[in-house]
Amino acid sequence: MNETRREYIKRINIVLDFIENNLDTKLSLEYLSKKAHYSAYHFHRVFLTLVNESLNEYVNRKRIERIAAILLVKPNSSLKNLAYKYGFNSDNSFSRAFKKYYGISPTKFKSEGKELLSKIGIEPFSSEKYICSIDNIKQWTKMNAQITIKELPELKLASISNIGNFEKAGSMFQKLMEWGHQKRVLDTSNFKAITIYRDNPNITQTSKVRFSACVTISENINTDGEINQHNLKKGIYSIGHFEIKAEEISKAWKSMSIWVIENGYEFRDGDYFEMYHNDHKTHPEQKFIIDICIPLQKTENIKLGEINNLDLSKYKDNLDYHQLISYMKELRLFFQKEYDTIFKLGKIYQGAPNFSYFSLTTDELKKQKLKFVIILNHKELYFSICLSGQNKSIRKKYWKIFKGSDWNKYHLAESIDNSLSIIDQTILKNPDFNNKRNLTERIEKESLKFINDIKNILE
């Protein structure tokens, strides 16, 4: 990229950020061109070239989309107040602008907005492409998300923005990482990779959704071409932790929005973003481990730190999710210390609210692409162990071998389609977490018995 274009992008990004945060103020060409340090005439041409919309079209679209987004979640809002707040001088000018963009009046949009958005290629809020009812959404969320409410501190971010070109996100992050290492400004002690969505994809067509790839930095930076600083403000967020495939991310966002509404919380103007915890390419199932973060208003019913998707009444001894994970870490550490010359241990999987696990394998098993997995079922509260494989095809191969034999000492999975297990055994029910030493010894004994039995059969 030549230096002139870098400078153009830098200045236009500053203006786009300003517009987004000030849609309810006067945004004239003269005022915004001064923000970009260009003459009005020159600024207008640069803006049109880079954004592919005139300034006036862009501002009007953003304001109309903001109003439409509000109407989708608060259909009883006063149109007159919204129009006045977002810069329209009269009901007639607002109605004309709204109808020009959506094809119907704002009054009709209140009742028919979701159907209309579907017709122009924007999925409505309760998308039937993925889910057929609110109950199904709740069930999907329960099975796939751990949702907490937290107050996040301010984060300093270096960001690159783009409009619609989501396939470029990977190269944007790579560029930020290379730049950050070169400048020595990456916050390596608290590193986070984040995507901020500047538009609501339920309202804005995908090709026009503006987003920013961001990484945490340790100090303030000067704008460097297309790389800007963005401070993620301190605030309260509902945070959904997911381990899902790429095609499920859209569903996760919809389920989180519905969760906020169903639980009586209020959306807050702020940054809606994804935070990444892994490189999905290294995941055995190519899954993303992400947090989806939605800003909330601070109201009386907000309880910080509450885990909302777990039925804690089903945990015995008043154990919560974090205590169960804490014990799993202790158990893994025990196996690591006692059997470090025999087993190689995998990390603890904790991407689902109802269970956690870690794997054990040997050099010989690794050649066969097999592993053992110790699992804690959080809801029913029991430990089990299974023989598993590195991928579905390996699991299927060995499942067929066991199914075709007459060996029936342990339980064979009914189907391999949605199962981590090839063959498994419940090793301990109703564990007593008040006596962890005894608990660990019992799990050790039963696990080794299962492992040795399976290894003998495999040999």
Side-chain angles (χ1 to χ4, degrees):
M1 185 184 298
N2 64 52
E3 200 60 38
T4 302
R5 184 171 174 80
R6 285 167 61 88
E7 185 64 21
Y8 283 159
I9 289 173
K10 177 183 82 173
R11 297 193 196 185
I12 294 299
N13 270 328
I14 291 171
V15 172
L16 292 178
D17 286 342
F18 184 82
I19 291 171
E20 192 163 337
N21 295 320
N22 294 276
L23 287 172
D24 55 352
T25 63
K26 187 177 180 181
L27 297 170
S28 67
L29 172 61
E30 290 73 19
Y31 181 69
L32 293 174
S33 60
K34 288 179 182 177
K35 281 274 178 189
H37 301 288
Y38 287 126
S39 69
Y41 176 79
H42 189 51
F43 172 71
H44 183 79
R45 285 177 173 271
V46 172
F47 191 95
L48 179 60
T49 300
L50 293 180
V51 182
N52 206 29
E53 287 180 278
S54 71
L55 176 65
N56 191 48
E57 287 172 339
Y58 182 83
V59 171
N60 277 343
R61 175 172 68 80
K62 295 288 287 185
R63 283 172 167 166
I64 292 294
E65 289 173 352
R66 177 68 60 85
I67 293 170
I70 293 169
L71 291 176
L72 281 182
V73 293
K74 295 182 179 179
N76 295 324
S77 300
S78 165
L79 290 174
K80 187 172 184 179
N81 289 345
L82 288 173
Y84 179 75
K85 179 179 179 179
Y86 289 103
F88 294 94
N89 297 324
S90 68
D91 293 344
N92 287 337
S93 64
F94 167 60
S95 293
R96 283 197 305 271
F98 195 98
K99 192 170 184 179
K100 181 180 178 182
Y101 190 66
Y102 284 115
I104 60 174
S105 69
T107 304
K108 201 170 183 182
F109 184 90
K110 280 179 139 187
S111 59
E112 300 179 17
K114 293 178 184 178
E115 291 77 11
L116 168 75
L117 291 172
S118 180
K119 289 178 183 177
I120 64 174
I122 300 173
E123 291 292 343
F125 181 70
S126 54
S127 170
E128 293 187 2
K129 180 179 179 182
Y130 305 107
I131 40 190
C132 58
S133 69
I134 293 293
D135 288 338
N136 283 348
I137 297 171
K138 289 180 180 177
Q139 186 62 32
W140 188 88
T141 307
K142 188 175 182 180
M143 294 298 293
N144 291 279
Q146 174 200 335
I147 302 178
T148 58
I149 297 176
K150 293 181 181 179
E151 183 172 43
L152 297 181
E154 180 178 270
L155 287 177
K156 291 180 182 177
L157 304 171
S159 73
I160 298 176
S161 298
N162 209 315
I163 297 177
N165 298 312
F166 291 100
E167 70 278 2
K168 293 186 177 180
S171 61
M172 290 161 66
F173 277 113
Q174 184 177 351
K175 188 177 293 185
L176 282 169
M177 293 295 293
E178 291 172 355
W179 172 88
H181 280 298
Q182 183 183 1
K183 300 288 185 180
R184 297 184 179 180
V185 295
L186 290 181
D187 185 358
T188 53
S189 63
N190 187 36
F191 181 79
K192 291 177 174 59
I194 289 170
T195 295
I196 297 175
Y197 293 94
R198 311 293 194 168
D199 292 305
N200 180 352
N202 290 319
I203 296 299
T204 306
Q205 294 183 41
T206 303
S207 62
K208 293 183 178 180
V209 171
R210 184 169 179 251
F211 68 100
S212 300
C214 308
V215 294
T216 44
I217 51 176
S218 55
E219 59 188 71
N220 291 328
I221 60 170
N222 295 319
T223 302
D224 187 0
E226 60 184 336
I227 298 176
N228 296 313
Q229 178 169 334
H230 178 80
N231 290 344
L232 195 66
K233 294 180 181 178
K234 175 182 177 181
I236 295 171
Y237 293 82
S238 61
I239 302 173
H241 185 74
F242 296 84
E243 183 166 355
I244 50 179
K245 294 182 178 178
E247 59 266 26
E248 295 178 297
I249 292 177
S250 176
K251 185 195 292 189
W253 272 100
K254 289 176 172 64
S255 70
M256 282 294 294
S257 297
I258 288 173
W259 182 90
V260 170
I261 294 169
E262 289 288 305
N263 284 276
Y265 300 118
E266 295 181 24
F267 295 102
R268 169 173 58 85
D269 278 345
D271 290 321
Y272 290 63
F273 61 93
E274 295 166 355
M275 188 181 297
Y276 308 102
H277 297 285
N278 76 324
D279 178 356
H280 74 285
K281 294 176 183 176
T282 64
H283 190 283
E285 297 179 66
Q286 303 286 294
K287 287 184 176 181
F288 290 81
I289 301 175
I290 64 172
D291 290 340
I292 288 178
C293 305
I294 294 179
L296 300 179
Q297 295 281 9
K298 188 173 184 179
T299 54
E300 291 182 0
N301 61 336
I302 290 284
K303 295 180 181 178
L304 298 181
E306 182 179 3
I307 300 176
N308 292 276
N309 256 9
L310 303 180
D311 185 358
L312 297 181
S313 66
K314 293 188 178 181
Y315 294 135
K316 298 184 179 182
D317 301 323
N318 295 317
L319 288 164
D320 67 18
Y321 174 84
H322 295 294
Q323 288 172 297
L324 296 173
I325 293 296
S326 177
Y327 175 72
M328 285 295 280
K329 290 178 179 178
E330 291 180 31
L331 182 64
R332 183 188 179 281
L333 184 61
F334 168 81
F335 274 94
Q336 189 174 36
K337 287 181 177 179
E338 294 295 321
Y339 301 100
D340 64 324
T341 59
I342 301 173
F343 297 119
K344 292 182 180 178
L345 278 71
K347 293 181 180 179
I348 293 176
Y349 171 88
Q350 48 186 313
N354 296 333
F355 59 88
S356 55
Y357 61 77
F358 62 89
S359 64
L360 309 92
T361 190
T362 64
D363 290 337
E364 189 60 35
L365 282 171
K366 199 170 183 180
K367 292 176 184 176
Q368 297 171 281
K369 298 183 179 180
L370 292 171
K371 59 185 176 181
F372 293 102
V373 182
I374 295 177
I375 306 161
L376 169 57
N377 185 305
H378 298 175
K379 292 191 73 173
E380 304 300 326
L381 215 59
Y382 66 85
F383 286 89
S384 63
I385 187 168
C386 75
L387 174 68
S388 186
Q390 289 184 9
N391 54 51
K392 187 175 178 179
S393 63
I394 295 295
R395 293 196 292 271
K396 196 166 187 176
K397 171 186 172 183
Y398 283 91
W399 180 79
K400 286 182 177 179
I401 293 173
F402 279 102
K403 189 173 177 64
S405 73
D406 58 358
W407 194 74
N408 59 0
K409 187 170 183 177
Y410 296 114
H411 172 257
L412 182 69
E414 293 181 11
S415 169
I416 213 69
D417 290 336
N418 297 306
S419 175
L420 177 73
S421 165
I422 299 167
I423 196 164
D424 58 75
Q425 171 79 345
T426 299
I427 56 177
L428 185 65
K429 294 181 178 179
N430 302 317
D432 179 9
F433 289 96
N434 293 318
N435 189 343
K436 292 183 179 178
R437 181 175 179 178
N438 182 59
L439 174 60
T440 301
E441 287 177 354
R442 291 180 64 189
I443 293 170
E444 174 193 24
K445 179 182 176 182
E446 295 300 322
S447 296
L448 292 178
K449 182 177 182 298
F450 177 88
I451 288 170
N452 288 327
D453 285 346
I454 298 296
K455 281 174 68 178
N456 288 336
I457 289 295
L458 290 172
E459 290 170 1

